[in-house]
Amino acid sequence: MSNIYKALQERILVLDGAMGTMLQAYKFTEEDFRGERFKDYPTPLQGNNDLLSITQPEAIKTIHTKYFEAGADIVETNTFSGTTIAMADYQMEDLVYELNYQSAKIAKEVAEEFTAKEPHKPRFVAGSIGPTNRTASMSPDVNDPGYRAVTFEELRIAYKQQTEALIDGGADLLLVETVFDTLNAKAALFAIEQVKEEKNINIPVMLSGTITDASGRTLSGQTAEAFLISVSHIPLLSVGFNCALGANLLQPHLEAIANKTDFAISAHPNAGLPNAFGEYDETPEEMGEQIEEYLKKNLINIIGGCCGTSPEHIKVIANIAAKYKPREAATLSTVEKSFKRIESK
């Protein structure tokens, strides 16, 4: 994994764009999601995008290819909902290992093809680990604030299974993303550390939270800086934010953490905010102009796109990113700076 650390020092790395946006363009039907293997499955399967890594692998491979062609250094596996907790909606808990393994395998095959063609620009696969559809910090029942729909231990077990499958399938790094509840993320990070110890490996880990609204906080109530502090005990490759906001609205939150950590900083914002129909209207050029402000202010090391972004967005972003040097990590940690301020008084 020395390659990715070396690449981070040399240039701003480009993450891919939205998987869901690309899959929607295929307009897959219920029959397409089922394929031959699941044609008699007892529950509806349309909308289970992770399943497409098994039933429509060529589509997934094509999407990864398009993002690499657009200039991405890193593509995410098609595993955003790849836990037993999320797959319970489709009664597919038993398929979780296979879904993650196959998704990582497909992405790795495409990455190796591009690395072989361009050895000077190695391509990487990030195993996407989503937040699940339950929260460990808050009650889903307004009448029972002490109730929790999931426990830390249940999350740990689910994330550990997903992590093992992603690594076995060939993921180069792990991306715990769209974190709206830091306790969920801590369960994922704890599970990853367990797997690293058991397998005696040191796989890089990216962590990306999501600021949910104009309050500037995650859903579980943390500011950007509080989020950073609460996860800084883990040896991360990068920390940053994705989803929920467009590039311009995300910038203040990146500024809040950029000078407070030695970790690399990542961002993959949406293509603006959704319109009345839930669609994203921001053009690649409009998004690129906003992201260039990140680069002018030396805020980030890894940049990509989330909801509404396409290979066209990533191509514009990659071209802009190539003109700038990556953010230099802070020379002193926040704690060291604090001690120095105290000593100087």
Side-chain angles (χ1 to χ4, degrees):
M1 273 300 95
S2 59
N3 275 354
I4 195 160
Y5 294 105
K6 184 170 181 287
L8 270 173
Q9 293 172 344
E10 294 173 347
R11 64 185 188 277
I12 294 170
L13 298 186
V14 178
L15 194 64
D16 61 2
M19 173 63 72
T21 297
M22 297 294 286
L23 288 173
Q24 286 171 10
Y26 280 88
K27 301 188 185 304
F28 285 132
T29 64
E30 176 72 27
E31 289 70 29
D32 294 324
F33 274 87
R34 289 175 175 270
E36 184 63 26
R37 178 174 166 184
F38 301 102
K39 65 178 182 178
D40 298 320
Y41 210 76
T43 59
L45 299 179
Q46 190 170 12
N48 186 356
N49 285 348
D50 294 28
L51 181 62
L52 296 172
S53 293
I54 294 176
T55 57
Q56 302 291 339
E58 284 305 311
I60 305 302
K61 185 174 183 178
T62 298
I63 291 168
H64 289 322
T65 299
K66 287 182 177 179
Y67 278 125
F68 278 136
E69 288 175 343
D73 297 283
I74 307 167
V75 298
E76 301 172 52
T77 56
N78 179 39
T79 55
F80 187 80
S81 299
T83 58
T84 50
I85 293 168
M87 281 294 143
D89 288 352
Y90 301 97
Q91 298 178 22
M92 285 193 152
E93 296 95 322
D94 292 343
L95 274 175
V96 161
Y97 183 91
E98 183 181 358
L99 286 172
N100 284 278
Y101 180 88
Q102 291 299 331
S103 294
K105 186 170 178 284
I106 291 168
K108 185 66 172 178
E109 287 172 356
V110 181
E112 287 179 338
E113 289 174 12
F114 277 84
T115 299
K117 287 188 289 187
E118 299 177 303
H120 64 282
K121 187 182 178 182
R123 304 310 211 279
F124 304 97
V125 173
S128 173
I129 298 175
T132 81
N133 49 6
R134 300 182 195 175
T135 171
S137 289
M138 295 170 287
S139 172
D141 183 355
V142 70
N143 296 312
D144 187 0
Y147 172 70
R148 297 292 182 270
V150 69
T151 66
F152 184 93
E153 180 64 6
E154 288 169 339
L155 286 164
R156 181 197 67 80
I157 292 169
Y159 281 130
K160 189 169 186 283
Q161 183 181 14
Q162 182 177 27
T163 297
E164 289 168 342
L166 288 169
I167 292 172
D168 290 349
D172 300 301
L173 56 150
L174 300 169
L175 170 54
V176 180
E177 63 172 318
T178 322
V179 175
F180 58 78
D181 182 346
T182 309
L183 192 55
N184 285 41
K186 287 193 172 193
L189 295 171
F190 185 70
I192 290 168
E193 291 303 304
Q194 282 190 310
V195 175
K196 285 163 64 175
E197 185 174 347
E198 289 174 7
K199 290 181 174 285
N200 194 27
I201 59 172
N202 187 24
I203 187 166
V205 179
M206 297 174 63
L207 181 67
S208 184
T210 187
I211 302 296
T212 51
D213 56 35
S215 72
R217 295 174 181 266
T218 64
L219 190 63
S220 55
Q222 286 185 312
T223 62
E225 188 174 353
F227 172 70
L228 170 65
I229 292 168
S230 66
V231 298
S232 290
H233 61 293
I234 296 289
L236 298 171
L237 175 73
S238 69
V239 65
F241 296 103
N242 73 288
C243 202
L245 303 175
N248 59 336
L249 295 175
L250 194 60
Q251 183 172 322
H253 309 300
L254 296 171
E255 291 174 348
I257 66 171
N259 66 348
K260 295 182 176 68
T261 181
D262 291 329
F263 299 147
I265 299 292
S266 73
H268 49 296
N270 293 346
L273 295 176
N275 61 27
F277 302 101
E279 298 168 341
Y280 295 85
D281 300 323
E282 204 162 82
T283 66
E285 290 72 25
E286 289 168 340
M287 190 175 180
E289 285 178 12
Q290 295 171 35
I291 282 176
E292 191 160 12
E293 294 303 310
Y294 298 0
L295 308 176
K296 289 176 180 177
K297 294 189 174 184
N298 196 32
L299 294 179
I300 55 171
N301 305 89
I302 303 171
I303 185 67
C306 203
C307 302
T309 57
S310 65
E312 289 72 28
H313 289 83
I314 297 305
K315 185 174 182 179
V316 169
I317 291 168
N319 288 339
I320 292 170
K323 299 187 294 184
Y324 292 85
K325 291 182 179 180
R327 160 189 165 273
E328 292 184 11
T331 54
L332 293 171
S333 71
T334 306
V335 174
E336 288 171 327
K337 286 179 180 177
S338 297
F339 275 124
K340 286 191 176 294
R341 281 198 296 268
I342 293 168
E343 289 171 354
S344 66
K345 290 182 179 179

